[in-house]
Structure formats: structure tokens, C-alpha cells
Amino acid sequence: MRKLMVIGVGVGDPDFVTVQAVNALNAVDVFFVLDKGPAAADLARARQAICEKFITHDRYRTVTVTDPVRDRGAADYPDAVRRWRDERAERLEKVIDAELDAHGVGGFLVWGDPSLYDGTIRVIETIIDRGALTVDYEVIPGISSVQALAARHRIAVNRVAGAVHVTTGRRISQGLPDDADDVVVMLDADLACAAYRDEDIDIYWGAYLGTADEILVAGRLGEVIDHIAQTRADLRQRKGWIMDTYLLRRHPVPPFQ
């Protein structure tokens, strides 16, 4: 049976790659990479650098698959994501069938951790559910942007007995959750937290975490949000893409119960 390895490789710094991930990298015959166009060339080079640093043989190869375009402005966003994922699964199924032999090991390098806002596991489950291709798979955890953000700012994500909510920019644009004192926000294309600049909230923001381009900003949301927005716009203009994450911390500190 073909086997697939979904390998979390952290958020940019090769030192974030775990021993378990290194062992998995060395077991892979064929790496499958979704090509997201010229804007993501930096990410492709970073993946290649990880392979060159940790793989101790030259028997592996890389197969690139053009990533389908996602309709980010669709009225029914969950349905658009499902259709996008299904098209991804169909393309990858064909390539896995053609490029990986019956007892081969295929690999997917996933930024951060495969369990947190990444679609690779769901795509593989979709391939399995389609029934045309028999595969098994294993998931290797990685250091997520949430962990890297907290470490770089030297903070704990939670406060004593406090709740933490991990969500997306799309979600907080509809309101902050009432039952969480600390809110980690990922996949925020529009910096939705700006809507809460007048509230008593601290922000811990980081972009390109774990890379040479890493930049951090922290402070009262209302005092630093314009600086973050301008910095973010400048970075996106310069690099063509941006990966950032932030923590919103409400005040006052909730009482211990």
C-alpha cells in the first residue's frame, strides 16, 4: 500500500524541524508540492532548503502540482472551500497514482502544524473517501505559528485559569468571542482586529515568524494598529505575500476562580 507522510516543518526556521520530522523526511521517496505561483517562490525555496539540510540521501524527488484557484469572495465561503479542496484532491490523486509506486512513500511538507488551519489532512481524507486510490497516511506534528508567536514575544498564550480562543480574521470580523480572555487570530487578510481599536486590548503581532524577515509588534491595540497596518502593507508590497498571526489580550486580567 502507498503511504503518505504529512510532515509539519514549523514556521520557517529550520531549527524548528523536530527529530521526528527529520526521520519522516528521510523516509519519503516523492514529495508532492502544490505550486501557488511566483508570489510563493520564497516558500518553495524554504521547503527545498529544509530537504537539503536534513535528508541524508539523494533518492527522493519532488513533483509539483498546480494549486487550483480558490474563490475567496464567494458568498458561501465554506462551500467554496469544499469545492476547492475537492479539486485539490482530484489533482493530487492523479499525480500520486502516476508518480508513487505501490509500496512508495509520499510526503507533504506543511508549514506550522498540520492540525491547525491547514487542509492537507482533509484533502487526503477526501482522496481516501473517493475510493479510487488506496493509501495510508501518518501525521507528524510541527511547531505552529501560535507557539512561535508566543515564544518570540516571551509570553504565555493563556493567563491563569483563562480561556484561549483560536480563530480567523473572518470570524472576528463578526465579533470577538465572549467566552475567551485571549484570542489568537490566524488567516486574517484584512486585519479585522482594527475594528476593536477603542477597546482595552493588547495585541502581540508577528509576521514571517521564524524567517530572516520576521517582524514583531506589541502594545495597546489602539496605539499600534496603524503602525501594524502600514508595516503589513509595505511587507506585502515588497514580498508579494504575507504570513502573520496575532494574539488579542483583553483587560483587565480575569480573576482566578
Side-chain angles (χ1 to χ4, degrees):
M1 183 185 297
R2 296 176 174 94
K3 184 172 183 178
L4 302 176
M5 307 287 284
V6 182
I7 306 170
V9 293
V11 289
D13 188 340
D15 288 345
F16 286 165
V17 178
T18 66
V19 173
Q20 186 182 21
V22 170
N23 291 334
L25 289 167
N26 278 278
V28 171
D29 303 307
V30 182
F31 289 98
F32 297 100
V33 176
L34 289 163
D35 182 3
K36 300 184 180 183
D42 287 352
L43 298 177
R45 285 192 291 270
R47 283 191 179 94
Q48 185 61 36
I50 286 171
C51 289
E52 292 174 354
K53 180 178 177 66
F54 293 111
I55 297 177
T56 58
H57 60 81
D58 59 2
R59 300 186 303 276
Y60 71 93
R61 57 194 177 90
T62 299
V63 174
T64 301
V65 182
T66 301
D67 200 23
V69 177
R70 178 161 39 136
D71 183 2
R72 297 180 182 274
D76 188 343
Y77 182 73
D79 181 65
V81 171
R82 280 191 295 271
R83 287 186 281 107
W84 172 62
R85 185 180 66 228
D86 289 348
E87 187 173 351
R88 259 189 175 185
E90 184 176 349
R91 294 185 184 190
L92 285 169
E93 180 185 281
K94 291 177 180 177
V95 173
I96 293 169
D97 189 32
E99 300 287 347
L100 192 63
D101 67 40
H103 301 287
V105 178
F108 294 88
L109 301 188
V110 174
W111 292 117
D113 184 88
S115 70
L116 189 60
Y117 288 107
D118 180 80
T120 307
I121 294 173
R122 292 188 182 92
V123 167
I124 293 174
E125 288 286 351
T126 300
I127 291 172
I128 292 171
D129 290 344
R130 286 164 60 90
L133 195 64
T134 302
V135 297
D136 189 14
Y137 72 98
E138 182 177 349
V139 178
I140 309 299
I143 293 177
S144 71
S145 61
V146 179
Q147 295 164 280
L149 178 77
R152 292 300 198 231
H153 280 290
R154 298 183 296 181
I155 59 172
V157 175
N158 65 292
R159 286 175 285 182
V160 176
V164 176
H165 191 95
V166 182
T167 187
T168 66
R170 183 180 292 269
R171 289 285 188 179
I172 70 161
S173 68
Q174 302 166 10
L176 292 174
D178 295 327
D179 57 348
D181 309 306
D182 296 280
V183 181
V184 176
V185 183
M186 306 175 70
L187 305 178
D188 186 356
D190 302 312
L191 210 59
C193 63
Y196 308 103
R197 64 169 66 234
D198 295 328
E199 297 192 23
D200 192 7
I201 295 174
D202 285 343
I203 185 171
Y204 298 86
W205 176 82
Y208 309 116
L209 292 162
T211 75
D213 296 310
E214 178 181 284
I215 185 167
L216 305 170
V217 177
R220 274 289 194 263
L221 180 61
E223 296 174 0
V224 300
I225 187 60
D226 290 335
H227 171 59
I228 291 173
Q230 185 60 57
T231 300
R232 198 173 186 271
D234 292 345
L235 291 169
R236 187 193 291 276
Q237 176 72 23
R238 177 166 61 87
K239 292 182 68 67
W241 60 279
I242 189 160
M243 291 175 65
D244 61 340
T245 305
Y246 57 87
L247 168 70
L248 299 178
R249 173 152 286 171
R250 285 167 159 157
H251 291 279
V253 176
F256 177 77
Q257 297 181 357

